[in-house]
Amino acid sequence: MGKLIAATGNQAVAQAMRQIDPHVVAAYPITPQTDVVEEFAAFVADGVVATEFVPVESEHSSMSTVIGASAAGVRAMTATSSQGLALMWEMLYIAAGLRLPIVMPVANRALSAPINIHGDQSDTMGARDSGWIQLYCKNQQEAYDTLIQAIRIAEHDSVRLPVMVCYDGFIVSHSLAGMELLEDDQVKAFIGKHKALHPLLDTKNPVTYGPLALFDYYFEFRRQLVEGMARAANVIEEVAEEYARLSGRYYGRYEKYNMDDAEIGVLVLGSAASTAEVVVDELRAQGVKAGLLRLRSFRPFPKAELARELSHLKALCVLDRADSPGALGGPVGVEVRSALLESAKRPAVINGIFGLGGRDTTVDLITTVYHRLMKIVDTGTVDEPLFYLGVRGGNNNGRELEAAIPQARATR
Amino acid sequence: MKAKQKAAPPAATKALAPQEKPGWTDIPIGAVVVEAGNGVNYQTGDWRSERPVVDVDKCIHCLFCWVFCPDNAVVLHNEKFKSINYYHCKGCGICSAECPVKVITMVEEAKAQSNANDSGAADGDGNLSPKAVGKGG
Ligand code: SF4
Ligand code: SF4
């Protein structure tokens, strides 16, 4: 049994980074990730870690620095949020394209404008096609556990891809929770020694990173990347099982809650799942067969598994904490619909955009989502395939929702 | 010139047709080039719109062209100018600009080819292979 502590999500992440003790960390502080950098810089100053810490002038530079360090042949990490991630953009694709196993915690935050520092997943959802593995965490403990596992996933011989470990800004990053730390040597043994592939500093075996690959080779390298991503699916599961043997905590690519016999279900990523669990418990107590599926691995996307786990439902709502203006729905909603398309039997699917800019997503609000699903099952019709949960104004959404809240309360 | 003789780069292969190039399962990941000095295999001669033609009789063998050529396309023999390797020469004209006695003329590639009646890939000695590069000195 490890050490029990009270930690915010950022502190949990900083503790994991201390135990990982990467060779190089280059980071720039940005809300809500700031404490990660602050706490880690203190570990460096106190000599608790051997890390070469590079304070940089921007996130473009932090990602560039860890790319250089990783290509040189060492374990390199950074951390960011929101605008910082946006500023890294071109380097994100380069990290993945060069197949560098960089691990980066991201405290999810909305993107400007208008400026907002609170949690939604617009930042990382926008980076979904960058070739990074994306794992979304529910709470402080999971952010810690996932970061440690991410090192193994990223550096796995059959993967060699960078990993983002995402946790909701403020809701997870700044709130305090009880959690368990593994012993330092347990983490050290679990992650093992860093194995570099084609290190630039190996002057006896000179290599070139970042050559030009035009119409004759570019396509082949992109195809390789897709394969690395596909192989990551099994590796995530293998690493999760090994980690469970060590810690007693298991996290696969997704997590089910009362799902197997459910008739209606919600699919969501991140901390909102904790709230939804409360709603499921309440509805179950009333005899409603409600379930929940929390997706952890958005990249790679577990298409076949989701089709299998969701097809028995009568109605499903995918909740997206990010929007894709002009698209058919949020990024997760669109993809889950596609995943279900090949199933002979599939639920009616609706998609709700929620919690943008950190808008509080309460038990009441999520209860209205299940009520929508109950109505769909009762009437057999879908009125609103895409809705904005709890937004004010407009002809129907806001008012409909406000009306639904007292009703939702009444049923509890 | 007492420069140490460098190891010869890998022998050049003929440019491969698109379908002959290796597939995604057969190349190192991340576009990392693991073979040192393999630029010798890369034909840049077909980028040329003008080619340097050297009046060797008037050449004073100062080797400025050899120093300045960005493509290592000037071939030496016994520390003297020998020829231009047209497999790699991309026709930038730097040698022509730097030659102190102005004996390198840039000739339009199409004209040079019809004059010489060749493919434009052969070097000054008619070799299609770029092997001579790097052996100078
Ligand atoms: S620069 Fe001119 S003179 Fe000097 S070696 Fe080259 S061709 Fe001859
Ligand atoms: S034209 Fe340019 S590439 Fe060709 S030999 Fe002269 S300097 Fe080299």
Side-chain angles (χ1 to χ4, degrees):
Chain A
M1 175 101 169
K3 201 163 105 191
L4 286 172
I5 61 162
T8 65
N10 283 341
Q11 286 167 341
V13 161
Q15 285 295 336
M17 286 176 70
R18 176 183 63 74
Q19 293 177 316
I20 292 164
D21 197 356
H23 300 98
V24 172
V25 168
Y28 188 85
I30 183 168
T31 306
Q33 152 268 37
T34 314
D35 321 330
V36 174
V37 182
E38 231 170 66
E39 298 233 347
F40 191 77
F43 294 142
V44 175
D46 294 346
V48 176
V49 289
T51 306
E52 178 78 34
F53 182 76
V54 190
V56 283
E57 79 287 3
S58 78
E59 286 82 359
H60 190 281
S61 302
S62 65
M63 186 45 68
S64 300
T65 305
V66 293
I67 286 172
S70 182
V74 301
R75 201 171 259 155
M77 296 180 76
T78 181
T80 196
S81 290
S82 181
Q83 308 301 125
L85 184 67
L87 190 50
M88 286 178 182
W89 218 254
E90 64 167 339
M91 305 316 293
L92 292 179
Y93 282 74
I94 291 170
L98 296 179
R99 306 297 294 275
L100 299 173
I102 295 162
V103 172
M104 172 166 70
V106 180
N108 283 112
R109 164 185 151 184
L111 285 165
S112 292
I115 192 164
N116 177 299
I117 56 167
H118 287 282
D120 74 31
Q121 292 159 354
S122 311
D123 47 2
T124 48
M125 278 297 158
R128 66 176 188 183
D129 298 336
S130 60
W132 283 63
I133 291 168
Q134 290 193 338
L135 305 172
Y136 288 80
C137 307
K138 179 169 82 169
N139 56 29
Q140 294 78 348
Q141 179 77 64
E142 189 179 325
Y144 167 85
D145 292 329
T146 306
L147 199 64
I148 292 166
Q149 294 179 50
I151 299 285
R152 287 280 302 276
I153 297 162
E155 294 178 6
H156 195 282
D157 287 340
S158 69
V159 179
R160 304 295 298 191
L161 280 173
V163 182
M164 281 180 206
V165 175
C166 313
Y167 55 106
D168 290 325
F170 287 97
I171 302 165
V172 176
S173 73
H174 282 62
S175 53
L176 208 60
M179 58 167 290
E180 190 200 355
L181 291 186
L182 295 177
E183 298 296 342
D184 294 356
D185 52 0
Q186 284 180 307
V187 175
K188 203 172 165 191
F190 183 80
I191 61 174
K193 272 212 159 20
H194 178 72
K195 265 195 295 158
L197 183 68
H198 306 311
L200 265 179
L201 289 184
D202 178 4
T203 50
K204 290 207 177 70
N205 298 290
V207 294
T208 300
Y209 270 81
L212 192 66
L214 300 179
F215 43 76
D216 53 350
Y217 279 102
Y218 181 88
F219 205 178
E220 276 68 28
F221 289 115
R222 299 311 292 184
R223 180 62 187 83
Q224 284 180 337
L225 198 158
V226 174
E227 194 67 12
M229 191 60 94
R231 290 182 192 149
N234 275 339
V235 173
I236 293 169
E237 298 289 350
E238 280 166 26
V239 173
E241 277 159 30
E242 199 183 318
Y243 191 82
R245 286 196 290 276
L246 178 70
S247 68
R249 293 180 296 274
Y250 170 81
Y251 312 93
R253 283 172 293 162
Y254 57 90
E255 187 181 79
K256 291 187 289 181
Y257 191 74
N258 281 313
M259 203 54 186
D260 292 341
D261 68 337
E263 287 179 354
I264 56 173
V266 162
L267 185 149
V268 72
L269 281 60
S271 62
S274 306
T275 316
E277 283 173 18
V278 175
V279 179
V280 169
D281 288 347
E282 288 179 357
L283 291 170
R284 285 270 166 178
Q286 296 162 23
V288 179
K289 288 195 166 169
L292 171 71
L293 191 144
R294 180 171 67 92
L295 184 59
R296 267 174 44 82
S297 170
F298 184 58
R299 289 289 178 271
F301 188 80
K303 179 194 154 198
E305 291 77 3
L306 290 191
R308 194 178 63 228
E309 303 287 4
L310 300 171
S311 56
H312 70 280
L313 293 173
K314 289 182 178 159
L316 166 73
C317 178
V318 181
L319 286 178
D320 262 288
R321 204 163 196 150
D323 200 4
S324 179
L328 302 181
V332 186
V334 168
E335 209 145 317
V336 170
R337 271 210 184 91
S338 300
L340 285 166
L341 209 60
E342 286 156 32
S343 304
K345 197 179 159 300
R346 56 175 184 267
V349 183
I350 57 172
N351 187 192
I353 310 295
F354 79 101
L356 297 189
R359 173 65 54 86
D360 199 15
T361 305
T362 59
V363 168
D364 284 340
L365 218 45
I366 293 181
T367 304
T368 68
V369 173
Y370 282 95
H371 283 185
R372 279 176 188 258
L373 295 173
M374 286 154 76
K375 198 174 153 212
I376 289 170
V377 174
D378 282 350
T379 61
T381 53
V382 175
D383 298 333
E384 257 188 316
L386 175 65
F387 63 99
Y388 291 80
L389 182 62
V391 77
R392 290 185 304 272
N395 291 332
N396 44 53
N397 275 354
R399 251 180 278 159
E400 215 176 67
L401 203 59
E402 274 166 36
I405 288 171
Q407 185 197 329
R409 269 201 204 100
T411 60
R412 288 206 271 132
Chain B
M1 213 179 295
K2 285 275 177 279
K4 231 172 119 193
Q5 187 89 6
K6 270 198 178 163
T13 43
K14 225 178 121 249
L16 294 172
Q19 71 277 10
E20 293 169 342
K21 288 180 177 162
W24 63 269
T25 44
D26 302 321
I27 48 181
I29 61 165
V32 173
V33 180
V34 293
E35 179 194 6
N38 74 345
V40 75
N41 293 328
Y42 196 54
Q43 183 178 4
T44 45
D46 55 1
W47 301 1
R48 203 168 50 233
S49 60
E50 287 187 342
R51 71 161 63 181
V53 175
V54 184
D55 186 346
V56 186
D57 294 340
K58 292 190 186 138
C59 163
I60 58 169
H61 301 287
C62 67
L63 307 191
F64 272 30
C65 54
W66 178 75
V67 170
F68 279 100
C69 173
D71 271 315
N72 281 2
V74 174
V75 184
L76 306 186
H77 183 66
N78 290 336
E79 300 183 10
K80 289 198 160 147
F81 176 90
K82 183 187 169 205
S83 59
I84 304 284
N85 180 313
Y86 290 124
Y87 187 87
H88 292 130
C89 165
K90 61 185 177 204
C92 67
I94 291 173
C95 54
S96 170
E98 296 296 338
C99 175
V101 290
K102 300 289 164 216
V103 298
I104 307 181
T105 318
M106 298 305 290
V107 180
E108 206 180 305
E109 185 63 22
K111 267 192 203 142
Q113 281 192 26
S114 62
N115 287 349
N117 197 21
D118 67 15
S119 67
D123 69 15
D125 292 339
N127 286 328
L128 261 171
S129 149
K131 268 186 244 171
V133 173
K135 282 188 178 168

